[in-house]
Amino acid sequence: VQLQASGGGLVQAGGSLRLSCAASRSIFIINAMGWYRQAPGKQRELVAAISIGGGVKKYADSVKGRFTLSRDNAKNTVYLQMNSLKPEDTAVYYCAAGTWEAVTVTTRPAYWGQGTLVTVSS
């Protein structure tokens, strides 16, 4: 499965961006998809994840209430709507796919997309 991430860019604090992650095959063969981010000098962290079959969602505490995951099954695409962005959200964002445990627990998903840079200016 190949993942294509897009939607990053430069935005002022308080603004919004929507990231997209398109899978090369039906997302129903994938157990879960998620978004990670890595800021300079920091470890990669899980931002949000969704189980494809059940629609269960998980968010990092730092983004709860601001970021929302959704999916378009027909387009094999998962979206991350990011609102009320803060400078500390600045990072390279990566989409990933695999089992729910791999995406949300071990953070070792089988599939990775390329990163997309999100820069939030103050």
Side-chain angles (χ1 to χ4, degrees):
V1 175
Q2 293 181 325
L3 303 176
Q4 181 71 40
S6 61
L10 173 64
V11 64
Q12 289 186 332
S16 299
L17 283 174
R18 189 178 76 160
L19 304 184
S20 300
C21 179
S24 60
R25 299 175 63 185
S26 171
I27 60 176
F28 283 104
I29 70 169
I30 303 169
N31 191 248
M33 294 181 72
W35 287 95
Y36 293 79
R37 67 185 180 187
Q38 187 166 22
K42 294 187 177 180
Q43 288 188 330
R44 185 176 60 201
E45 62 173 345
L46 176 67
V47 175
I50 182 170
S51 68
I52 300 303
V56 176
K57 300 176 185 178
K58 177 178 181 177
Y59 296 96
D61 289 343
S62 59
V63 306
K64 283 181 181 177
R66 300 189 298 122
F67 290 12
T68 303
L69 273 173
S70 62
R71 61 185 180 183
D72 184 331
N73 297 339
K75 295 183 178 180
N76 297 326
T77 299
V78 170
Y79 303 97
L80 183 67
Q81 179 67 42
M82 306 186 295
N83 298 328
S84 302
L85 282 162
K86 304 175 181 180
E88 51 263 43
D89 294 318
T90 295
V92 177
Y93 285 69
Y94 300 89
C95 67
T99 67
W100 180 255
E101 179 178 1
V103 172
T104 65
V105 179
T106 66
T107 66
R108 294 180 179 274
Y111 308 102
W112 289 95
Q114 87 286 6
T116 184
L117 177 62
V118 172
T119 304
V120 184
S121 63
S122 58

